[in-house]
Structures are given as C-alpha cells and as structure tokens.
Amino acid sequence: MSYHRDFDREGERLAVSAQPLGEHRFRVTVGATEHEVSAWSLPDGRVRFELDGTLHEAIAVTLPDGRVHLRLGDRSWFLPRHTGRGRGHGHTADGVITAPMTGTVLSVLVVAGQPVKSTDTVAVMSAMKMEHKLTAGIDGTVAEVPVAAGATVEQGALLLRIEKADS
Amino acid sequence: MSTPPFRRILVANRGEIAVRICRSLRAMGIETVAVHSDVDGSAPHVLAADRAFNLGGRDASSSYLQVPQLLDAGCVSECDAVHPGYGFLSEDPDFARALSAVGMEFIGPDADSMEILGSKQRAKQAAKDAEVPVVPGFDRDTGDDAQMLDEARRVGFPLLIKASAGGGGKGMRLVRAEAEFLEAIAACRRESQAAFHSREMLLEKYLEPARHIEIQVLGDHHGNVVALNERECSVQRRHQKIIEEAPSPIVDTELRVQMSEAAVRLAKQVGYQNAGTVEFLVDARGSFYFLEMNTRLQVEHPVTECTTGLDLVQLQVLVAGGAKLPDLLRGRDLTPRGHAIEVRVYAEDPAQGYLPAAGVIQRVVEPCGPGVRVDSGVVSGTEIGVQFDPMISKIIVHGMDRENARQRLLAALRETAYLGISTNLDFLCRVLEQPGFIAGELSTGFLDANPELARASEPAPDLAYLAAALCGSLTPSVGRKPVAAGDAGPGTLPDVWDEGSGLRLWGQA
C-alpha cells in the first residue's frame, strides 16, 4: 500500500511518502530526498528494511493525537503530524485542538461559550522562536479552554475544545 | 510434585507480579483468585487467575489496600492462603495477623519478625545482635533536631537522613554539609509523617562509592534458613532500582560466603520465615554493611531464579505449607550458574527527571528467545494510570556470562516496544552500552555520575521518517484505529480519525 503523511519537523512541514514498486521494494520520499529500499513485515508487527546495505527494524503506531510513535532499533520518537495550512494540530474536525509541539501559548483569542467559524484563529502558540496560529477547524461553540496565555504546554496537550454547530 | 499444600490461593496484588505468581501456582495445581479495582476488571493479572473478585475503588487505598475487602474476597472464594506479592500489604504485619485470625495462611514471614524488620532502628539493633556489620550512624532519635545535629557531626558528613519507618526513598535526604542539615531533617520529618505517620529519623554515614548488593534468603517453619546468593542492584535512580543482576561482578566466593552467613545469622536472629532479602552496602574495599531487610518477594527475584534454577514463589508456597528446606533443597548445588540481568521497564520520561507517563499502551511487542524471560503486566490497550507504580514489565535474560547476558538483553530490548506512552527503553539501552556498565564498574552513584544517559533522544533523523513510512505501508497497526482506554470497540472514536490519518490515503496509490 502507498503511504503519505505530512510530519511536523521542528515547525516545518516534512512530506513523507512510500510507494510500492513490486516485491518488497519501495520508493520512500522524505522531504526532497528519495530512497529505494527493500522492506519486509515480521510476524510480531515489526518491519525490517534494508537501506544502503544496512538492515534496520522498526515498529510504529499512530496515536489518537495524530503523532506517530516509532521505535527504531534501540531508539524511539514521537513524530508529530504537520498542523497544515493554519489548521490545528490533531483532529480539528472533532473540535479538539491540541498543542502541535511543546511550547508557550502566546494568546488565546476566544472564551468558552463563544461561537466560532472554522477559519477563525483561536489561539497562537510559540515554539522554536516561531509562531503557530491555530484555527478552529469547524463551525461551532467554544466548549472548553483549559489553558491561558503564557502557559507552557507539552506537545499534544489539550488547548481548546469546540462543540460542533448543529447543522 | 506431591499434593500441593493449599487448594486455592488469593493473589492480593496486580500487574506483573500477580501474573507471575499465578503462573507458579497454576503449575503447582493450585487454583488462583485475583482481586481487582473497578477499573482493572479485564487487566492481564485478572485473566491470569482462575477466578476474580472485585474490590471496588479506583486507586490503591480504595482497592488493593482494603484489608476488609481482601478478607472478604478470601473467605467468599474459600481460599486457604494469600500471596501478597510485593508492595501494597506485603509488609504489613496487621494484614498477616488479620488473615491468621480468619484461618488463612499469609505466604510470607510471621507478623512479629515483619514488625521488627519494618523498623529501621529495631532491624539495625537485630543486625548488631547477630554480629552483622551495620553502617556507622545514630538510631536513637528523640525528636530533638539540635541533638540530631550534634550526632550528625559525630557521624560525619556526608550522611544520610532516613525515616525509620521509611522505604522507597521517601523521607530520605543526602546531606553533604553541616549547613544543610537542619533544613533537610525538617523536610524528612514532614515527608515521613505524611507517608508513614512517623517522624522518627536515623542517621547513617554515607558511603561512596558503594555498591548495593543484597542476599536472598529463605526460611522454613522449622528454624532452617538458606541463603540463595547475591544480587547487585547498584544502578538506581532516586533510590529506585532500575537494573539488577546476579551474580555481582565484584563478589567472589569468599565474599559471597561471608555475606550469606551474615544474612542467615540475621534471619535466624529474628526467627525469619519465608522469602526475604538482606540488603547491604559494599564499599570499595569489599567491606559490607547491613542496610535493611525486605520481608517479601523482591521485584528483582527473577535473576536469582535464573542463576539458581529455583522457583521462589513455589518455594514460598511450599515452606508456608510446612515443608522443610533440607527436604526441598537436598542435593542441590546452589552456586550461581551463568549470569542474569533484569531491567525494569517504566512508563516514564528519563529526560524529564523520570517523570511518570500516563496513557494507553496502543501496542505491546515483547521479546522472547533463548535465555529471555518477560514478566509483564500489560497488553495492547492497557491504560497506565497515575495511581499505581509506573513499572510496566521486567525483561530478564540469562546468559553463560555477564557479557553474553548483556548482549542478549540489548538484543531483547531492540525487539521490545510499548507504543503509545513514553518509556525508559532507550535509556536502558544507553545504560547497557555505557563503558562503565560494560566493565561492571557500578555504584549507587552511577546514574548521577553519568547524567547524559538520561538525555532526550536527538531529533529524529530522516531514517526515522523513512521507517515510519515503511511501517505505514506494511503494517495495519500504523493506520489502525487506536485503542481507547477501557473500550477498544469500534465507533467510540471520532469519525475524523479516518479523515485525518494516513488510513484515508491508503486507497489513493
């Protein structure tokens, strides 16, 4: 199966894709770099792949907050998904807006009970000296704002919840 | 084996140790009854037992620590004995007495010796009486901080202030200079009051660099006590063991005999029955000092099992049923065979001061193979809460020597994954590859001396993203709906998952 996902690497979009080329062969693109690799799935759910003559083993799952938790050999990472053009992190369509990265909440532009449009900017975060605008993603009413401006939040932390407007 | 001494045993614990105990009991032909809180009803330890009893509650104090409910569970399910595991009520003499009053056998030491050894001060006195060397210090606290400061000067700095009733690093402070002393003892008294309802402190000279080496002992109900060699548990963070091994890289036959004899003397001094562990500090010259005795099965008992070929839970049950050690161990060579290492896998983030992590483990992959043993308390979908200890499993390997065991363990850890929450797996791998660890140069200050081991992983390289893409292409787990806590059923998650994840894109090759 082919795969595509936009990851967020230090605030920048990193497009990653894999295309099957035939028996155990894949073309994998990470940003601007293209690789051809051989890969096999193992019975325990891990994947073994060969890149430039070296074998690696990995396993990954996608978490409810949109991050991919990867274990590769003896190392692990949580790989966040790219927020997209002004979209919030995670599942914006269900109105749950989570922090795309660990950082500081610069401002919260809405209060609980306030109606919002999907394109409205609801909060601004800062990390790695870059500002990230988070939009509502859906039309609705702000149900919950558990953070305030100035708060330091972990990646994936709940910033806002918006209740979908009845339609 | 002959007829088991008990027909049905209540396992008053949860997590990996309850699973592990059930396995041994089952092999012995003994029926098992698990207990659980309201939220643990389908936990692995419940499924490992033949029957289960709901104690109610969510956190430890309203469930696994509820003596009346546990007694009720034992009586209703007609158990003739209770295995307490470690932690919870395992070292509570009143629990042992309460069981005895309703005619159930407590699989552990008798309440009186538990009481003596549960007080650091009385334990130290018992050690002195048994001619077991103790760490120089002061143990006659009258509650007067000014007097304690005088005694501290006599003991000398650096020293440790320890809560007499304490354990697990609570109510304990290392004081390097006199000026810090009064503030530190006040903090220890507050912590100890909160945790153990006692303000009594003792002072101990701080030995550095020292190793934490302990002797496993086992006593029967006929006055026999046997020592089952040492375990080294020097790799600790905040006085919590992380990596344990047997035998110790520095213990030779002569030291093993000396320490074993001292441990047996202490156990006999207090009339000890069942499994226990005598902990020592060993300094650079090979002198050893009694620290404390733990009156239960230890977390790290599997390394002893690997190197002796014994099943300690089985032996606990047999001696509790009245069996005599000379009959059980007759003709056995108890010299350690090969080398075993255990790592404790914690749900925590070492880079953030070992902050416990909570959440749902989406996917569990555990290793197997020659010499590999996994004592685990989780499965895919298990929720790790904040109300219990964050240890999720133990991975234990046995090899022909230490280096063989270390390499097997590294290979096993590379095959291991608990996806969905932060764990210390990467950290454990770094420790196992640290040159000082490889050389067996350990001390309780090992992690403080090597803080870089707890660092955060470097930013993910391109290789990581490439691996993620291949996992997404080849395994359904990447795009699969995540497991929700307590309910993995479909439809419980927002529809957006399909819209937002890689799943939707799979069809668009």
Side-chain angles (χ1 to χ4, degrees), chain B residues 157-334:
Chain B
F157 292 92
L159 59 75
L160 282 172
I161 305 173
K162 285 182 171 181
S164 182
K170 287 199 191 82
M172 187 190 292
R173 287 282 191 292
L174 169 62
V175 184
R176 293 205 174 268
E178 197 179 313
E180 306 162 13
F181 182 82
L182 287 173
E183 202 181 313
I185 196 166
C188 285
R189 289 197 199 277
R190 279 195 303 274
E191 273 179 34
S192 175
Q193 179 65 41
F196 315 113
H197 309 294
S198 155
R199 299 176 63 81
E200 191 177 295
M201 294 293 139
L202 48 83
L203 308 178
E204 264 176 15
K205 175 120 189 87
Y206 184 64
L207 303 169
E208 57 180 346
R211 291 168 173 257
H212 177 117
I213 300 177
E214 58 191 28
I215 300 286
Q216 174 74 52
V217 297
L218 184 67
D220 64 16
H221 291 197
H222 309 276
N224 302 298
V225 179
V226 64
L228 300 172
N229 311 322
E230 81 283 0
R231 296 183 287 256
E232 169 144 13
C233 319
S234 295
V235 182
Q236 304 183 355
R237 55 145 171 89
R238 290 200 208 123
H239 308 287
Q240 278 263 10
K241 298 163 188 169
I242 299 177
I243 301 182
E244 300 103 340
E245 57 187 296
S248 160
I250 60 134
V251 172
D252 57 15
T253 307
E254 189 189 341
L255 184 55
R256 179 171 303 128
V257 168
Q258 285 175 13
M259 292 178 75
S260 296
E261 285 175 355
V264 169
R265 279 202 304 277
L266 172 61
K268 287 190 168 170
Q269 177 76 29
V270 297
Y272 197 81
Q273 298 171 351
N274 219 284
T277 295
V278 184
E279 298 189 335
F280 295 99
L281 279 180
V282 181
D283 70 15
R285 296 185 312 279
S287 301
F288 60 91
Y289 304 93
F290 170 72
L291 266 183
E292 61 179 319
M293 181 162 179
N294 292 315
T295 57
R296 53 172 155 82
L297 189 68
Q298 297 274 95
V299 175
E300 59 272 23
H301 75 276
V303 295
T304 297
E305 295 186 321
C306 289
T307 49
T308 58
L310 300 173
D311 177 339
L312 288 175
V313 170
Q314 178 189 330
L315 289 172
Q316 282 190 293
V317 171
L318 293 174
V319 296
K324 291 180 178 163
L325 281 171
D327 296 340
L328 293 172
L329 300 175
R330 178 168 294 136
R332 281 199 77 93
D333 178 6
L334 296 173

Side-chain angles (χ1 to χ4, degrees), chain B residues 287-476:
Chain B
S287 301
F288 60 91
Y289 304 93
F290 170 72
L291 266 183
E292 61 179 319
M293 181 162 179
N294 292 315
T295 57
R296 53 172 155 82
L297 189 68
Q298 297 274 95
V299 175
E300 59 272 23
H301 75 276
V303 295
T304 297
E305 295 186 321
C306 289
T307 49
T308 58
L310 300 173
D311 177 339
L312 288 175
V313 170
Q314 178 189 330
L315 289 172
Q316 282 190 293
V317 171
L318 293 174
V319 296
K324 291 180 178 163
L325 281 171
D327 296 340
L328 293 172
L329 300 175
R330 178 168 294 136
R332 281 199 77 93
D333 178 6
L334 296 173
T335 313
R337 208 180 103 261
H339 197 98
I341 311 178
E342 170 183 285
V343 293
R344 302 188 188 189
V345 181
Y346 284 101
E348 67 181 16
D349 188 349
Q352 294 193 48
Y354 305 100
L355 186 75
V360 177
I361 305 181
Q362 301 288 340
R363 187 70 203 267
V364 171
V365 182
E366 289 170 337
C368 55
V372 178
R373 164 174 169 179
V374 180
D375 282 15
S376 173
V378 299
V379 292
S380 297
T382 296
E383 182 173 15
I384 303 298
V386 289
Q387 57 271 66
F388 296 110
D389 186 272
M391 193 180 82
I392 52 186
S393 72
K394 308 181 303 208
I395 296 169
I396 308 111
V397 294
H398 187 206
M400 63 182 180
D401 55 30
R402 188 171 188 268
E403 182 57 15
N404 179 228
R406 191 186 69 86
Q407 287 174 350
R408 280 185 165 175
L409 184 51
L410 269 171
L413 291 178
R414 291 189 190 109
E415 278 181 29
T416 307
Y418 297 99
L419 298 176
I421 52 164
S422 296
T423 70
N424 63 343
L425 280 172
D426 299 15
F427 164 76
L428 291 170
C429 291
R430 288 195 290 267
V431 174
L432 291 171
E433 297 205 88
Q434 203 273 344
F437 183 89
I438 296 173
E441 290 158 1
L442 308 175
S443 81
T444 52
F446 178 83
L447 291 179
D448 288 335
N450 296 285
E452 75 285 356
L453 294 170
R455 71 177 187 263
S457 292
E458 69 274 28
D462 277 13
L463 183 69
Y465 293 98
L466 183 145
L470 289 168
C471 289
S473 294
L474 278 164
T475 60

Side-chain angles (χ1 to χ4, degrees), chain A residues 1-5 7-10 14 16-20 24 26 28 30 33 35 37-41 43-49 51 56-81 87 91-94 154, chain B residues 352 360 362-366 410 413-423 425-427 429-430 433 457-483 493-494 496-497 499-503 505-509:
Chain A
M1 275 180 275
S2 67
Y3 176 89
H4 177 85
R5 194 174 186 81
F7 287 99
D8 184 306
R9 176 147 76 175
E10 293 170 26
L14 180 70
V16 177
S17 62
Q19 296 278 334
H24 302 300
F26 291 84
V28 183
V30 178
T33 319
H35 306 270
V37 293
S38 299
W40 303 265
S41 54
D44 60 7
R46 289 178 305 141
V47 166
R48 178 177 296 150
F49 62 95
L51 178 70
H56 303 271
E57 282 168 7
I59 184 166
V61 297
T62 307
L63 303 181
D65 62 13
R67 294 178 301 165
V68 169
H69 192 186
L70 170 79
R71 184 153 173 83
L72 170 67
D74 55 12
R75 291 179 296 172
S76 319
W77 289 276
F78 289 97
L79 305 174
R81 199 163 108 221
R87 284 173 35 137
H91 316 300
T92 51
D94 66 358
E154 291 289 323
Chain B
Q352 294 193 48
V360 177
Q362 301 288 340
R363 187 70 203 267
V364 171
V365 182
E366 289 170 337
L410 269 171
L413 291 178
R414 291 189 190 109
E415 278 181 29
T416 307
Y418 297 99
L419 298 176
I421 52 164
S422 296
T423 70
L425 280 172
D426 299 15
F427 164 76
C429 291
R430 288 195 290 267
E433 297 205 88
S457 292
E458 69 274 28
D462 277 13
L463 183 69
Y465 293 98
L466 183 145
L470 289 168
C471 289
S473 294
L474 278 164
T475 60
S477 62
V478 174
R480 193 177 64 185
K481 288 193 181 191
V483 185
L493 287 157
V496 64
W497 177 252
E499 181 273 329
S501 78
L503 197 63
L505 296 160
W506 278 16
Q508 304 181 345

